[in-house]
Structures are given as structure tokens and as C-alpha cells.
Amino acid sequence: MPTSHAAVQQFIRLAGERAWAKRLSELEGLTRGAGLSARALQQRHAAELLVQRIRTRGAATSGPERAIAALLAELVATAATLPAQGRERLRDRLDTALSGEGTLIALLHLAATARTHRAQGFAVAWSGLAENAPHDLLLERDGRAMEVACDIASAEEGRWVHRGDWFALVDRLNPDLQAWLAAHPGRYLLKMTLPEGLAGPAALPELHRRVMAMLRHEEGASTDQAVVLKLDPLVLAAAADQAALAEGLRAQFGHEAHLAVTQPPQGAAGSLFVMAARAGRENEVAVAIARRFTPMTQRLSGRLPGILSVLIEDTDRTEWHALRDRLEIEGAARQFLTGAEARKVVCVQCLSRLELFGQGAPGAAPEGRLRFRNPRHPAAKDAALAPAILSTM
């Protein structure tokens, strides 16, 4: 296996030096700044930024960097085995991943799925790239075979308050909040309830106006059909640093709340303005993820047992743990497996970036992904397939 730096160099040659340099230049512009939106873009494009960090430093120095380098080595090794048309398909996918809103995550998920199943003793063929098959991978072990379809699902699809819109609202409010806080030193908590949620930029100017009007008029509350605002003193004990403060706020408001902390650039020490926002109903992240399963089954032939492998994007460690601990992912997957649309599916697999970048890290799912076997499938008890399909929960 090549060193991490060699794997990165080989991958960039595969993607194209010019295309990579152009993408890095774009990302430097997009992620510049200290606002939440810029930080969110840094997280979205973490894979590309980690690749460049390995290239610059000459070696992987962290767990996520080593994980990325191993997956890049998998992609480079696969490219060498593909026929000419397969290599063109891979380059097309790389071009898409390195332009517009694309990321490397889908290709890294595919590489991680192949690598995981090879470690379980399966021979892995990249039939989607090599043969333009509807499914992505073909697994074989002890004379048995399975098809694997991979896809990405965004947790945003199940949120009533979209994180991207929340970040944009906070960035819009922050300069005015800093000025207000400098003139009104203290510790404040603004609770914001959005009965119909927040999805799209159209509502942001009015929400901005409403918050600042309430503060200027020194009102403790403001209510209409779109938003309920309530300003209270912040009674949470002072925290030593931002990480401890965030942990305390998360414990108080739960994993579904959107949180933001504003401090004056200069002024009274200890002044804080915390915003905590929620929708008027519970999120349905697991339900939204399960909606991806049915269209994925259309990529399976039905002649062989099928696996659906879904990487869940736009979720953080806290939310991912909550979805697992509350069995929401399991419940949605098992509900899907009871329906007729799951007749081709022997197993559903789910993972997040935590497993993709840090398999074996604290809090990551066992074996790098969650697995839910379909007990109704004829191949459910096939011993040759067991390593890939036995439920992890």
C-alpha cells in the first residue's frame, strides 16, 4: 500500500492537477471568513481540505487524514484495473465531485464500502464503473454473490429548520447583535420557535428585522405566526471555553436545537448573547433517510440479493448518536424492510462521516456502519453472506 502522501499525489494526478488546483482556489474563496456559513462550507468540503493538508505536509498526521489516504489509495488502485470506458466514467465522477456544489464524499463512500467488504472476505468488483451497471459493486464469497447500491442522504431533508438557513441567519444577525451587546453588557438567551420551520432564504430578512426590533424596543417577547421570540437572562453557569459552553447548551436544549453564541468584539468580559432555535415540530431525519431506500432498489436487478449502503450527510456527532441511541435509524430501516419494495434487499447499511473518516474512533458505529438484515429475504440466513448482512443492532 502506498504511503499517505504517495496516495494523495496519485489521486491528484488521476483527478488532474489543473482541476485540483482550480478546485482548491475555489474552496479558499468559499471558506474564507469567520462566520458560521464559512465554517459549514469548511466542514462540507473537509475531505478536499484534508487531502490538500496531507499533500502540503507530506504525510497524514491524524486519524481522519489516514482514513482519507487509505480510501484514495483504494480509488487509485481501482482506476488501474478499470477498462478504458470505466476510467472515463471515474474521471467524469471526479469532475462532478470537484465542481459546483460537489464533494468527494460519494466516491469516498463507494471506496469505503468496497474496502469494508473486501476485509470481510468478499471479492469486490466495481461493476458500476467497469460495466456501467445500475448497481455500484458486486460482492462474491464462497460461490455466492450480492449487488450493492450506494447513495448519499442529507439529514437536512428531515429538518424543519435547515442548518444552512440557520447559519445564514446567524451571520446576518451577528454584526447587529455584537453592537447591541456592546451597549447592553450582560448574558442573554433568545429562545426562537419557528412553528412552520425555516427552509429557504426568503424569510431571513424579516426574521432579522423582528429580532432587532424586539431588542431595540427592549421587549422581552414577540410573537406572530412565523416566529415566537422570548428573551431571558442566560442562567447557564459560566464555561471555561467555547467547547464547554457548547456542551452545556446542547445538554440544556437537546440535539434538535440550533444554537449560536455571540460575544462583543470588545467590551464587558463575560457578555454573551445565546440564540436557541427550534421548529414547532420534531425533526424527521430518519424518515427522510428511509425515503431514499425505495428509489435505490430500482438499481438492483433482483437476480441477486441486494445491499443498500447509505451515507448520511449534514449530521454531527451529537445528532448521529441521538439517532442511533433512540433507534430512529433502526426503526425507519426495519419499517422499510417490511414492505414489498424491499423484496430485492437483503440488508440496509447506514453510516455517517464519523465512520467514514474515523472507523474505530470513539462513538463510531461498530464495524464502521449500521447493518439491518431483512429476515424475509431468501438469502437472509446464507452463511456465506453473513459478514455483510448480519444486523449490528
Side-chain angles (χ1 to χ4, degrees):
M1 183 175 175
T3 65
S4 58
H5 187 256
V8 162
Q9 293 291 80
Q10 291 165 9
F11 168 76
I12 291 174
R13 282 197 293 271
L14 177 65
E17 293 275 358
R18 186 174 300 175
W20 183 257
K22 181 174 181 290
R23 187 53 163 173
L24 262 292
S25 177
E26 291 169 350
L27 292 182
E28 286 173 4
L30 288 171
T31 60
R32 189 177 295 120
L36 291 183
S37 296
R39 274 185 272 169
L41 282 169
Q42 291 170 10
Q43 292 173 358
R44 175 173 174 76
H45 295 284
E48 294 89 333
L49 298 175
L50 286 171
V51 170
Q52 184 62 17
R53 189 180 303 169
I54 297 170
R55 188 187 200 192
T56 302
R57 291 179 177 174
T61 59
S62 68
E65 290 175 7
R66 287 188 287 272
I68 289 260
L71 296 178
L72 296 183
E74 179 81 23
L75 282 173
V76 170
T78 297
T81 68
L82 293 173
Q85 288 185 328
R87 285 194 295 274
E88 284 304 311
R89 292 186 193 102
L90 177 55
R91 289 193 186 99
D92 287 344
R93 293 190 64 173
L94 282 167
D95 287 344
T96 300
L98 297 176
S99 60
E101 296 185 357
T103 73
L104 291 174
I105 295 299
L107 281 169
L108 294 175
H109 171 215
L110 187 53
T113 304
R115 199 163 182 263
T116 293
H117 292 307
R118 188 177 297 109
Q120 293 169 335
F122 290 89
V124 180
W126 292 56
S127 14
L129 290 174
E131 304 166 14
N132 204 25
H135 59 272
D136 293 295
L137 304 172
L138 183 69
L139 311 181
E140 294 188 55
R141 185 173 184 266
D142 296 343
R144 301 288 191 271
M146 289 187 294
E147 296 171 351
V148 183
C150 297
D151 203 355
I152 305 290
S154 172
E156 284 282 67
E157 297 170 14
R159 294 193 186 105
W160 298 106
V161 178
H162 288 186
R163 281 187 178 175
D165 296 316
W166 170 248
F167 294 154
L169 176 63
V170 173
D171 287 345
R172 190 183 184 107
L173 280 165
N174 253 341
D176 289 341
L177 289 178
Q178 287 179 332
W180 184 88
L181 193 56
H184 302 79
R187 291 163 59 84
Y188 304 91
L189 169 64
L190 177 63
K191 296 178 184 177
M192 184 182 301
T193 303
L194 298 152
E196 299 303 317
L198 180 62
L204 302 187
E206 177 60 15
L207 282 172
H208 180 189
R209 187 197 68 77
R210 287 282 309 281
V211 170
M212 296 314 302
M214 187 185 78
L215 294 177
R216 280 194 299 270
H217 296 142
E218 299 186 0
E219 298 170 342
S222 177
T223 302
D224 69 10
Q225 291 183 337
V227 62
V228 178
L229 302 174
K230 191 171 188 303
L231 185 66
D232 292 316
L234 177 65
V235 296
L236 190 71
D241 54 36
Q242 285 285 345
L245 174 64
E247 185 177 346
L249 290 170
R250 183 60 64 196
Q252 180 173 343
F253 291 103
H255 74 277
E256 288 197 357
H258 296 264
L259 303 171
V261 178
T262 299
Q263 294 175 290
Q266 295 176 340
S271 288
L272 285 176
F273 194 100
V274 172
M275 290 188 288
R278 292 184 68 105
R281 64 191 92 174
E282 289 190 3
N283 289 336
E284 297 179 342
V285 172
V287 174
I289 292 164
R291 284 199 291 267
R292 286 299 184 98
F293 298 156
T294 297
M296 289 177 70
T297 63
Q298 298 171 12
R299 296 167 53 198
L300 303 173
S301 69
R303 295 186 296 271
L304 296 171
I307 292 176
L308 307 182
S309 180
V310 181
L311 188 140
I312 300 162
E313 274 280 60
D314 305 311
T315 187
D316 59 22
R317 184 188 301 264
T318 300
E319 183 180 47
W320 178 235
H321 285 178
L323 289 168
R324 289 162 48 193
D325 293 345
R326 292 164 54 160
L327 305 182
E328 292 182 34
I329 297 288
E330 179 177 11
R334 294 200 185 281
Q335 179 64 33
F336 163 75
L337 291 172
T338 64
E341 63 272 20
R343 65 186 183 278
K344 301 177 186 177
V345 181
V346 70
C347 180
V348 170
Q349 302 179 354
C350 297
L351 67 157
S352 71
R353 286 198 185 197
L354 178 61
E355 289 76 24
L356 188 71
F357 292 171
Q359 183 174 344
E367 301 181 43
R369 57 194 60 213
L370 305 177
R371 291 196 306 266
F372 308 105
R373 180 176 59 169
N374 182 0
R376 294 168 179 79
H377 195 282
K381 295 184 179 180
D382 192 320
L385 307 183
I389 67 173
L390 286 180
S391 296
T392 55
M393 298 180 70

